[in-house]
Amino acid sequence: MNRLESYKEVVPKGTVEFLKLLAEKVRGKRILEINSTRVGGGVAEILQSLVPLFREVGLECRWEVISGTEEFFNVTKAFHNALQGREENISPQMLKAYIEINRENAQRLSLDADYVVIHDPQPAALIENRTSGGKWIWRCHIDISTPQLKVWSFLRQFVVKYDSAIFSLPSFARKLPIPQFLIYPSIDPLSDKNRELSSEEQNRILQKLNIPLDKPILLQVSRFDRFKDPLGVIQAYRLVKKYHDVRLILAGGSATDDPEGEIVLAEVRDLAQNDPDILILMLPPDAHLEINALQRAATIILQKSLREGFGLTVTEAMWKGKPVIGGFAGGITVQLVYGVTGFTVYSVEGAALRIHYLLDNPALRARMGEDAKEYARRNFLITRNLGNYLALMAYLG
């Protein structure tokens, strides 16, 4: 059985047959996907699953990753923060470095394809070196609804040269003279991060991580990034801890395009103050089975983001049948149907209140988890994402 056929066991009935019919519209076309990292983060994980599926349905698909200096990734991290609304000082030298690294990558990479999909701001300036007659699509995964205008104005000069843009939510779209489309990100239900685990396999992984199972587990999985608010999660845990004997696990990792992670991790360790019931796990980018086991062992999963592109860790938790408490930010708001698939909160106190509520109501936790899994099945799996891209490419011609 090929991989696409195996999805029939988990996705809504008729999905695979529909994808095969849709793929006939663009069979033989060449797709080039370009982003800034091959491991770490939701974009890389989506491409790891999506690229093989494109090939399986009959398209030629390449995935390239831009390279850059430490200075370049410091610049693009500042771009990331500024586009999501944080004030950053961006100097002319930083803008010059951004353009120069994009120019160097354009000389290194072959940009010839029928569809060139550029992910996020880091490689956006590659459009300046467009040579073929293919369609160029800018896929933005972050929340740029309230950007620092100076940075957005700089980036916009490149974005308007694309044939279309894709955003994760309608509220992220900007005024642009090109067509804009809405596509939710997705998870792969058959990947190591999301597939079913036997109880023996799960226990073996948790023992390897030295995770005790004697208390309810509160879990947040995310990069150590201020927008993910790991400090707020610790504060909420401390409010809950006065009444419930729980354990908090903060599991994260690093990505090659995020130089700020070590600084935030040090702040998290400082606030945790060697509390034996706060476990901080720094996991490698390929720790997919470990994250899978942690999510399945958790009692409640948090994603208390202050800003969020979409929040695929929320989808992962929902797919494992867990109730989720998330910050009212970005794509978390479309995943968590309030009181049905989870709760959205605005504050540390709000998060603590909902943790209390769920800890006191095990029947509600179970029902909410079931609803969350079904909602994820129908809306946020990789097969739906594949269908969206095939339809868009057929439309663009």
Side-chain angles (χ1 to χ4, degrees):
M1 182 187 297
N2 59 35
R3 187 165 179 81
L4 187 60
E5 289 293 322
S6 62
Y7 285 95
K8 285 183 177 178
E9 299 174 8
V10 292
V11 300
K13 186 177 180 181
T15 298
V16 171
E17 291 77 9
F18 176 71
L19 289 172
K20 290 178 178 177
L21 288 173
L22 197 53
E24 289 301 317
K25 302 284 186 183
V26 289
R27 175 174 287 278
K29 296 284 188 179
R30 297 166 301 149
I31 305 173
L32 172 59
E33 305 271 358
I34 302 180
N35 75 322
S36 61
T37 180
R38 205 170 287 280
V39 293
V43 178
E45 288 185 20
I46 290 172
L47 290 176
Q48 285 165 8
S49 296
L50 199 56
V51 168
L53 287 175
F54 273 134
R55 293 169 181 162
E56 192 168 321
V57 297
L59 288 89
E60 296 180 25
C61 187
R62 286 189 294 133
W63 175 15
E64 300 285 2
V65 174
I66 61 167
S67 58
T69 60
E70 182 179 354
E71 178 190 20
F72 172 74
F73 287 116
N74 282 327
V75 171
T76 57
K77 181 63 180 182
F79 275 21
H80 176 91
N81 292 338
L83 290 167
Q84 294 209 121
R86 202 168 88 184
E87 197 64 29
E88 294 279 349
N89 291 319
I90 308 292
S91 68
Q93 290 75 21
M94 294 168 75
L95 301 180
K96 183 179 178 182
Y98 171 81
I99 292 173
E100 182 58 32
I101 292 295
N102 267 271
R103 186 180 296 124
E104 290 176 9
N105 277 281
Q107 293 171 353
R108 180 178 63 85
L109 300 172
S110 169
L111 301 177
D112 185 33
D114 297 308
Y115 306 102
V116 180
V117 185
I118 301 293
H119 294 265
D120 283 329
Q122 296 94 329
L126 289 176
I127 188 72
E128 292 292 297
N129 298 276
R130 177 180 189 167
T131 56
S132 71
K135 304 291 186 182
W136 281 59
I137 303 163
W138 186 57
R139 202 319 178 194
C140 180
H141 294 269
I142 62 176
D143 176 358
I144 61 169
S145 56
T146 55
Q148 188 175 323
L149 290 179
K150 179 182 176 183
V151 176
W152 168 242
S153 296
F154 172 77
L155 187 65
R156 189 180 186 278
Q157 67 178 310
F158 306 115
V159 174
V160 296
K161 295 178 181 176
Y162 284 76
D163 295 293
S164 63
I166 302 171
F167 295 92
S168 297
L169 292 182
S171 60
F172 294 174
R174 307 293 301 172
K175 287 185 178 179
L176 293 169
I178 58 174
Q180 299 178 62
F181 299 91
L182 167 67
I183 295 181
Y184 292 144
S186 61
I187 62 166
D188 185 345
L190 303 184
S191 68
D192 280 345
K193 191 184 256 188
N194 297 301
R195 68 173 173 82
E196 291 292 329
L197 296 179
S198 68
S199 57
E200 293 80 8
E201 189 175 16
Q202 179 178 328
N203 290 335
R204 187 171 64 250
I205 295 168
L206 294 174
Q207 286 174 6
K208 185 179 175 183
L209 292 172
N210 294 318
I211 305 296
L213 298 175
D214 55 333
K215 301 176 183 179
I217 292 174
L218 311 178
L219 171 70
Q220 175 157 303
V221 177
S222 69
R223 293 186 192 186
F224 291 98
D225 182 315
R226 290 191 178 88
F227 284 128
K228 310 296 184 185
D229 199 21
L231 302 182
V233 172
I234 293 176
Q235 292 164 350
Y237 151 82
R238 291 225 162 98
L239 292 175
V240 172
K241 187 72 171 175
K242 296 176 183 176
Y243 307 96
H244 295 274
D245 188 15
V246 295
R247 178 171 287 114
L248 172 64
I249 301 176
L250 294 168
S254 61
T256 54
D257 62 346
D258 184 4
E260 199 177 57
E262 288 295 326
I263 299 170
V264 178
L265 176 61
E267 295 172 359
V268 169
R269 284 176 170 150
D270 185 55
L271 184 62
Q273 294 182 329
N274 298 318
D275 182 332
D277 280 335
I278 299 179
L279 305 182
I280 300 169
L281 304 179
M282 195 65 178
L283 300 173
D286 60 350
H288 303 308
L289 284 171
E290 288 80 358
I291 291 173
N292 190 342
L294 287 168
Q295 289 170 329
R296 292 182 187 280
T299 308
I300 298 168
I301 295 181
L302 297 105
Q303 188 56 61
K304 203 197 148 309
S305 300
L306 305 174
R307 287 277 185 175
E308 189 61 75
F310 193 73
L312 284 175
T313 53
V314 173
T315 323
E316 293 163 9
M318 293 167 65
W319 181 245
K320 279 120 188 162
K322 299 295 176 177
V324 183
I325 298 171
F328 193 85
I332 294 175
T333 61
V334 301
Q335 297 185 73
L336 298 185
V337 180
Y338 195 85
V340 179
T341 63
F343 292 108
T344 48
V345 297
Y346 293 89
S347 65
V348 166
E349 292 76 14
L353 178 68
R354 287 305 172 190
I355 295 170
H356 275 300
Y357 183 59
L358 287 174
L359 287 172
D360 287 338
N361 290 278
L364 175 62
R365 291 203 308 269
R367 188 171 70 246
M368 191 171 277
E370 291 175 5
D371 290 341
K373 181 166 186 174
E374 189 58 27
Y375 196 62
R377 184 197 315 280
R378 295 188 175 278
N379 295 284
F380 308 123
L381 299 187
I382 193 74
T383 43
R384 191 271 309 146
N385 208 343
L386 174 64
N388 288 157
Y389 271 110
L390 293 173
L392 174 58
M393 290 168 183
Y395 170 78
L396 292 175

